[in-house]
Amino acid sequence: MKVAVVGSTGMVGQVMLKVLEERNFPVTELIPVASERSVGKKVKYKQKEFTIVSMKDAIAAKPDIAIFSAGGSTSLEFAPLFAEVGTTVIDNSSAWRMDPDKKLVVPEINADVLTKEDKIIANPNCSTIQLVMVLGPLNKKYDLKRVVVSTYQSVTGTGKAAVDQLNGEIENSVNKESQISGDDSIAKVYPYQIFKNALPHCDVFAEDDYTKEEIKLMKEPKKILGDDTFNLTATAVRVPVQGGHSESVNIEFENEFELDEVRKILSETPGIIVMDDVKNNHYPMPLYSEGKDEVFVGRIRRDLSQPKTLNLWIVADNLRKGAATNAVQIAEYLVANNLV
């Protein structure tokens, strides 16, 4: 089983290598790929060093699976070239997600749509994955009518430079009170400081004044669930948390529900852990999710303002289940079902 990891030096790429190792994926030959400036450098996998190769050399090696986390433009250019030599590509960028000819997959929800003919498979947006993990089983039982989601997204969702910005601002605050205008000594990836702040601005703004992140959240769940009969709106916010995305979700159903049954359905869904004991202050937080593959759900309660409506709180590690782990789970499904 030849496996290429494209973008192996990046934040998600490094986690992909870690997850492949942790889950003992049957890699017989690892092919780490990165940008031209990284070719020849080394990455570690299972306590061994592997030399990073160019995209051209990786394609020539004809890997069985290539897991991409290298940006949309890179994927658009090179994923089809891998597919042409018979490689199955699992892509973590937004490049292929809404392509009508490509599958968008969260394995616990819709892996059964995959076939041998799927040579480019899209990995959903991090915030979408944890949301759909909850919406999927509840939609089957109660039929979604409308979903309102507000996200609280960690800086790792932006990348290493954002983590550096947050840490730099924290360090500077020890010596002086940082101002909204910012400190020119810190390289910024956000338009404002992120420390002691919350930015209602994830990704770039589109013409309708929604951000790209919000648009992904509004479109991707419908494709994954194979259901466009419900409405979904989103507001995405960046918060000064290093790892783990949180979501406040309001779900209106067509059918009535009982809270105990909702908790039972979610607790029996593979990949979900219900943490919902408010009397003992037991609820999901990013601190619990960091480094874990599960999606954590809590604060499950009725919306008292209208019938057949539920409020809940969802947290997951955005680098793992929100990206690397989901991609590796897709690869595991392909292997287990002889699709590669």
Side-chain angles (χ1 to χ4, degrees), residues 241-246 283-292 296 315:
V241 170
Q242 184 151 320
H245 288 354
S246 304
Y283 37 70
M285 296 186 293
L287 281 174
Y288 288 145
S289 75
E290 200 167 3
K292 298 184 176 71
F296 298 83
V315 180

Side-chain angles (χ1 to χ4, degrees), residues 124-290:
N125 179 47
C126 48
S127 300
T128 299
I129 290 172
Q130 64 190 74
L131 177 63
V132 166
M133 284 285 291
V134 171
L135 295 185
L138 296 183
N139 187 38
K140 282 184 178 179
K141 181 67 178 179
Y142 306 115
D143 195 5
L144 295 173
K145 183 176 180 180
R146 185 170 188 256
V147 179
V148 181
V149 55
S150 299
T151 72
Y152 305 71
Q153 297 182 221
S154 67
V155 295
T156 51
T158 308
K160 183 180 182 300
V163 176
D164 292 343
Q165 178 181 334
L166 174 59
N167 289 335
E169 289 168 352
I170 292 170
E171 189 175 334
N172 276 10
S173 74
V174 174
N175 303 315
K176 61 180 182 179
E177 188 67 29
S178 57
Q179 301 297 317
I180 288 293
S181 58
D183 184 330
D184 290 339
S185 68
I186 298 170
K188 283 187 165 48
V189 295
Y190 301 125
Y192 299 98
Q193 73 178 53
I194 186 63
F195 178 56
K196 294 186 178 180
N197 204 10
L199 303 178
H201 182 179
C202 293
D203 213 319
V204 298
F205 286 100
E207 289 182 4
D208 58 9
D209 293 340
Y210 283 83
T211 64
K212 282 179 68 177
E213 184 77 7
E214 291 160 350
I215 293 167
K216 293 171 193 173
L217 269 165
M218 292 188 286
K219 290 184 176 181
E220 292 179 17
K222 295 182 178 185
K223 181 173 179 178
I224 296 164
L225 298 178
D227 182 356
D228 62 2
T229 63
F230 66 95
N231 295 316
L232 195 158
T233 190
T235 301
V237 181
R238 191 73 62 188
V239 293
V241 170
Q242 184 151 320
H245 288 354
S246 304
E247 296 174 344
S248 172
V249 188
N250 179 268
I251 310 169
E252 182 182 1
F253 298 108
E254 297 286 357
N255 302 312
E256 189 51 83
F257 62 87
E258 294 298 331
L259 288 175
D260 285 345
E261 187 178 46
V262 168
R263 292 187 183 97
K264 184 173 186 290
I265 289 168
L266 293 176
S267 65
E268 292 175 352
T269 300
I272 287 180
I273 293 177
V274 174
M275 300 178 69
D276 193 38
D277 180 7
V278 294
K279 290 180 181 176
N280 293 298
N281 297 332
H282 192 59
Y283 37 70
M285 296 186 293
L287 281 174
Y288 288 145
S289 75
E290 200 167 3

Side-chain angles (χ1 to χ4, degrees), residues 16 19-20 23 25 65-67 88-92 103-115 118-125 129 224 321-340:
M16 282 177 173
V19 172
L20 285 166
R23 298 175 73 92
F25 190 79
I65 294 172
I67 306 178
T88 299
V89 174
I90 302 167
D91 180 53
N92 195 52
K103 307 291 176 56
L104 184 63
V105 175
V106 176
E108 296 92 336
I109 305 300
N110 69 330
D112 58 347
V113 300
L114 292 172
T115 69
D118 295 310
K119 287 302 178 186
I120 298 177
I121 301 164
N123 206 39
N125 179 47
I129 290 172
I224 296 164
K321 182 54 181 171
T325 302
N326 198 75
V328 173
Q329 286 176 311
I330 293 172
E332 289 172 341
Y333 182 88
L334 294 174
V335 171
N337 290 276
N338 299 312
L339 301 180
V340 290

